[in-house]
Amino acid sequence: MGERTPLRILLADDHVTVRHGLKLLIDSQTDMRVISEASDGNAAIQSAIALKPDVIVMDISMPGMNGLAATRTLRQTQPGLAIVTLT
C-alpha cells in the first residue's frame, strides 16, 4: 500500500501556548501535520488562501477579526474547507 499524505492543518488561536500545545499534539500523529499558525482571523484567512489547508482549528475569540467572522468568510471562499472551532 502507498503512504498516505498527512492531513494539513492550520492553527488559528491568539494564545501562543495553546497553539504550541496543539501543534505538539498534532505533529506527534503520523497522519497529521501543522502547516501554519495564525493569531487572528485575518491572518487565518490569508494563510488559508495561500496554503489551502485540509482543516483549520479556529479559536472563536481572537482580537481583530474573531473566529466566527473568519469562518463565515472562509465558508464563502473555500466551501469545502473543514473548520473545527474552539472556545
Side-chain angles (χ1 to χ4, degrees):
M1 293 244 161
E3 206 174 301
R4 291 191 336 183
T5 304
L7 199 61
R8 300 171 67 245
I9 300 171
L10 166 64
L11 299 177
D13 194 297
D14 59 319
H15 295 96
V16 175
T17 305
V18 172
R19 287 196 320 264
H20 181 73
L22 287 171
K23 181 174 174 28
L24 287 173
L25 179 66
I26 291 167
D27 285 347
S28 72
Q29 306 302 308
T30 59
D31 58 347
M32 295 183 233
R33 176 170 63 98
V34 174
I35 60 166
S36 186
E37 299 178 33
S39 60
D40 61 47
N42 285 318
I45 291 169
Q46 295 306 311
S47 290
I49 290 169
L51 300 173
K52 306 278 191 259
D54 300 311
V55 177
I56 296 179
V57 178
M58 179 88 71
D59 184 19
I60 290 176
S61 178
M62 293 185 284
M65 179 184 284
N66 67 36
L68 293 175
T71 296
R72 262 191 298 280
T73 299
L74 287 165
R75 283 277 165 236
Q76 293 172 348
T77 60
Q78 298 181 40
L81 179 61
I83 302 173
V84 178
T85 56
L86 295 177
T87 182

